Amino acid sequence: MTKQNLDWGSLDFGYRETSYSYVCNYKDGAWDEGGLTTDHTVTMSECAGILHYCQEVFEGLKAYTAENGDIVCFRPDMNASRMADSARRLVMPPFPEDKFIEAVKMVVEANKDWVPPFGSGATLYVRPYMFATGIVIGVKPATEYQFRILVTPVGPYFKGGDTAITITVADFDRAAPRGTGDIKAGLNYAMSLHPYEEAHANGYSENLYLDSATRTYVEETGGANVLLVDKQGNLVVPQSATNSILPSITRRSLVQVGRDLGMNVIERPVKYEELVAGEFVECGLCGTAAVISPVGHIESEKYGSVTFVDGAETSGPVMRKLRETLTGIQTGKIADEHGWIVKIA
């Protein structure tokens, strides 16, 4: 296998067209066989349901080159399950979970020359997504859908690497109580674009969203779940009483990693005033794209500012250990005791 001629260590987190995508269509109550395509465009009716009523869900995972040279993916079964849950919430036909995993394997195998080499710091980002292609003019679910997977080599999500970022508290809400905050749908991200651009214009890397019911509890950022370490060294994972936080696969994996390392993990609602009071010494944003990105400061005139003293400049010791352990498992440096790694090639 000959790798593509790219400067792997300098890649940003952006789209680059690769050799193959995967496509599968749903019509007359069933998914077709599906397969690879070299056509990276989508053609649909001007009256397709996605364009009018936002029936769309997506996932994100990565393919890596392990230390031994294998190409692997991390927990694709969890992405398959979450995407099926997201689809059901938007009255879309769930894509079969076993077919999802096989499709991921197929498209990564076909694009293995685009998988960055071990040690480059880059990965092959895998984006499965599904949307309504059927014609709909009244407000109702469509009857036809398309499932696709694109892949693209990417560098780090946050350019600073292990440098701690500064975020702010959004004046907007991410998700309504008992709404769609716990599914991975494009509609949740569309509303975050304006506050995201506003945060960037003011010099911040991201927004922290509080619960929309009371605006007192920590929820998540526009693209990642939040992890905290308190003064006693406990790993604290903010929870939502109204199911408005996305169940991040990376977060759930890090919770297990923390327990494996002997950490005391506490999953509970966390009031923002606890952060302002200095109860937490580390903070990290976790997700597929970033794994864990350290947060050094939260600045907010309205809600109060926070400095995480053990991670103000770079990752604190707990976040660093969690990240090193999870990435070690993903790349084969550390034994996979949970069966999370799926070999592709």
Side-chain angles (χ1 to χ4, degrees), residues 5 9-10 20 25 45 55 58-59 82 85 120 134 140 144 152 156 167 223 247-249 305-306 319 325 341-342:
N5 185 23
S10 299
Y20 296 95
N25 291 290
S45 168
Q55 277 188 290
F58 71 99
E59 278 298 323
R82 187 173 63 180
D85 289 342
S120 65
K140 61 180 181 180
E144 297 180 10
T152 186
I167 64 175
S248 163
I249 294 163
S305 296
V306 182
M319 294 298 167
T325 304
I341 304 302
V342 175

Side-chain angles (χ1 to χ4, degrees), residues 86-327:
S86 297
R88 281 187 282 266
R89 178 64 177 82
L90 295 187
V91 200
M92 304 169 71
F95 194 72
E97 294 180 33
D98 57 345
K99 192 177 180 73
F100 178 105
I101 296 169
E102 289 306 312
V104 168
K105 290 179 178 179
M106 185 185 300
V107 73
V108 172
E109 167 74 22
N111 289 285
K112 60 186 178 182
D113 56 327
W114 291 92
V115 180
F118 175 76
S120 65
T123 56
L124 186 74
Y125 188 73
V126 182
R127 169 57 62 82
Y129 58 111
M130 182 170 69
F131 51 93
T133 54
I135 292 173
V136 179
I137 195 67
V139 182
K140 61 180 181 180
T143 59
E144 297 180 10
Y145 298 85
Q146 187 168 105
F147 171 88
R148 299 182 70 96
I149 303 177
L150 67 83
V151 299
T152 186
V154 297
Y157 188 72
F158 291 108
K159 296 179 181 178
D162 195 46
T163 301
I165 61 174
T166 298
I167 64 175
T168 189
V169 180
D171 286 327
F172 296 85
D173 294 327
R174 175 186 168 270
R178 294 166 293 278
T180 58
D182 61 343
I183 68 170
K184 199 166 180 66
L187 56 88
N188 290 335
Y189 294 81
M191 58 68 51
S192 74
L193 296 177
H194 173 69
Y196 180 78
E197 290 297 308
E198 190 174 76
H200 270 237
N202 290 320
Y204 302 111
S205 297
E206 251 289 12
N207 284 296
L208 176 68
Y209 290 95
L210 305 180
D211 74 290
S212 57
T214 68
R215 297 197 63 76
T216 57
Y217 289 96
V218 172
E219 293 225 318
E220 61 179 291
T221 65
N225 280 186
V226 177
L227 296 176
L228 298 161
V229 178
D230 66 18
K231 288 193 277 190
Q232 292 72 42
N234 301 308
L235 179 64
V236 180
V237 184
Q239 298 288 286
S240 167
T242 55
N243 296 322
S244 51
I245 296 178
L246 182 72
S248 163
I249 294 163
T250 303
R251 185 201 75 206
R252 286 178 279 176
S253 302
L254 288 166
V255 164
Q256 183 61 56
V257 166
R259 290 180 173 137
D260 291 345
L261 292 170
M263 297 179 186
N264 185 33
V265 180
I266 302 171
E267 299 182 80
R268 65 170 177 85
V270 175
K271 287 189 174 182
Y272 186 73
E273 64 185 27
E274 295 179 63
L275 277 64
V276 176
E279 294 299 319
F280 299 97
V281 295
E282 291 185 48
C283 178
L285 306 184
C286 65
T288 298
V291 185
I292 301 180
S293 181
V295 176
H297 310 273
I298 305 175
E299 294 183 0
S300 173
E301 291 185 10
K302 184 175 182 180
Y303 295 97
S305 296
V306 182
T307 293
F308 298 99
V309 294
D310 288 353
E313 303 299 329
T314 62
S315 290
V318 175
M319 294 298 167
R320 183 176 298 111
K321 184 63 175 178
L322 287 170
R323 188 182 196 283
E324 288 175 352
T325 304
L326 184 61
T327 56

